[in-house]
Amino acid sequence: MTSLRVLPEITHWTIYYPWVIYGRSPQVNATTTDAMDASSPSSSNESPWLPFESRRRARDEKREAVLRTAVALFLEQGYHRATLNEVAKRLNITKPALYNYFRGKDEILYECWSIGNELVDDCIAETSAAGGSGLDKLRKLIVRYAELMTEDYGKSLVRFDIRDLSEDNRKIVQTAKRRIDRAFRDYIAQGVKDGSVKPCDPKLAAFAIAGSLNWIGHWFQPGGEMTGRAVAEEFAIRLTEGIATSPTRKKADKPPRKGNASREETSEHHPRAAAGAAGQSKRARGRLR
């Protein structure tokens, strides 16, 4: 008859994370345990784990920090020269930690472009909703778009080569560019129809205006004589005075403001651009989750 081997009884085993370590816990009596529980913070009703919304918000903030740092570095050094090692160094984290938020440098580039593009979409939507003549809408869009070109996320729309993106993302970018061009053309065409803009070719006029605005993203540097807002207002007049049917208003011919605008002034004139610079765009946050 085969004898059965009796295994020793195993009790009071514990599991520790993140590494799983098995071991026999020390024996304690009930009195000691009760006293420890009474004095321990973990015995309170508060969970040691952050609520889901708080964890998600913390993750979003970290992703946005990566994007803000990366877009500044890409603009400073150029996309190809900039490295994720440098991004990680500026954030005081390890390079592998970046991969918790993005799969690679091209994905970071696309996300930076996406935030800038979203801000442009908001500019167009708000301009259309505001009403007014075609010329009024055109000038409003020029101001908003020009000011965005002075911000990092706006610059990402014109400073980077879309050939560095995946094929699918390139198609998205090209579609977005056509949508922006269409907005300029539509406002010009509306102005011709309502009489606020002289008869002209909306396509050529839109190309001339958008080309001038896009170049702002290449030459503008913060801290110079003119603020981004001052540049935007000046461009709105100079780029439309040749096609406007009515003379340029005297108010627009004032010397452009110099120096850095106050935080209150910037927020009042362009709250969405300020939010974009901080990476706080609503749909962007949803996309980054």
Side-chain angles (χ1 to χ4, degrees):
M1 180 177 180
T2 305
S3 61
L4 297 176
R5 182 179 179 183
V6 180
L7 296 176
E9 180 181 2
I10 300 175
T11 59
H12 301 294
W13 286 74
T14 58
I15 302 176
Y16 296 87
Y17 292 99
W19 299 276
V20 180
I21 302 176
Y22 299 88
R24 189 183 299 274
S25 63
Q27 299 291 329
V28 294
N29 59 47
T31 302
T32 303
T33 302
D34 292 342
M36 291 173 61
D37 288 343
S39 61
S40 173
S42 62
S43 63
S44 66
N45 293 330
E46 296 182 4
S47 169
W49 299 100
L50 288 173
F52 174 75
E53 285 297 330
S54 297
R55 295 200 307 274
R56 184 171 63 184
R57 189 180 309 114
R59 179 176 176 81
D60 289 347
E61 290 172 355
K62 291 175 182 178
R63 289 170 65 91
E64 290 167 359
V66 172
L67 289 174
R68 289 194 301 271
T69 302
V71 71
L73 185 65
F74 293 167
L75 292 169
E76 175 187 327
Q77 298 184 2
Y79 173 72
H80 290 288
R81 291 183 58 191
T83 65
L84 292 186
N85 280 329
E86 181 62 24
V87 173
K89 181 179 179 181
R90 293 190 179 190
L91 289 168
N92 197 29
I93 61 176
T94 63
K95 180 180 177 181
L98 291 177
Y99 292 101
N100 290 324
Y101 308 101
F102 300 99
R103 288 170 293 186
K105 194 166 74 165
D106 63 325
E107 183 179 358
I108 294 176
L109 180 67
Y110 175 72
E111 292 292 347
C112 292
W113 173 88
S114 294
I115 292 176
N117 181 69
E118 181 187 330
L119 292 172
V120 175
D121 285 344
D122 291 340
C123 291
I124 295 172
E126 291 170 11
T127 299
S128 296
S133 67
L135 181 63
D136 289 336
K137 291 181 180 179
L138 179 62
R139 283 178 171 165
K140 287 176 184 177
L141 181 57
I142 289 175
V143 170
R144 298 290 302 278
Y145 189 88
E147 193 171 5
L148 185 57
M149 286 297 109
T150 68
E151 304 288 345
D152 282 355
Y153 286 124
K155 292 178 181 179
S156 71
L157 298 176
V158 297
R159 290 273 294 273
F160 304 133
D161 193 336
I162 66 172
R163 290 175 295 184
D164 291 320
L165 301 174
S166 67
E167 183 178 355
D168 289 341
N169 287 341
R170 283 200 301 272
K171 292 179 180 178
I172 295 174
V173 171
Q174 290 165 345
T175 299
K177 288 179 180 291
R178 289 192 292 270
R179 186 168 62 250
I180 296 170
D181 174 64
R182 174 54 58 186
F184 281 104
R185 293 194 202 186
D186 287 347
Y187 294 153
I188 295 170
Q190 180 183 336
V192 172
K193 186 176 181 179
D194 64 29
S196 60
V197 173
K198 297 175 183 178
C200 62
D201 184 333
K203 177 180 179 180
L204 291 180
F207 281 169
I209 292 172
S212 297
L213 297 178
N214 288 339
W215 199 247
I216 295 174
H218 291 270
W219 59 259
F220 181 85
Q221 293 296 327
E225 283 191 357
M226 298 178 65
T227 65
R229 181 71 184 189
V231 169
E233 290 176 341
E234 186 73 8
F235 267 59
I237 298 303
R238 300 308 171 207
L239 293 177
T240 59
E241 61 185 355
I243 61 174
T245 55
S246 59
T248 302
R249 291 167 293 182
K250 294 291 185 181
K251 181 180 178 182
D253 286 329
K254 294 189 305 180
R257 293 191 300 273
K258 296 186 178 182
N260 291 322
S262 66
R263 180 176 300 176
E264 291 77 13
E265 181 183 14
T266 302
S267 298
E268 176 185 356
H269 288 302
H270 200 351
R272 294 295 291 177
Q280 297 296 326
S281 178
K282 289 191 298 183
R283 291 197 298 265
R285 288 200 300 270
R287 184 178 59 253
L288 295 180
R289 290 171 185 168

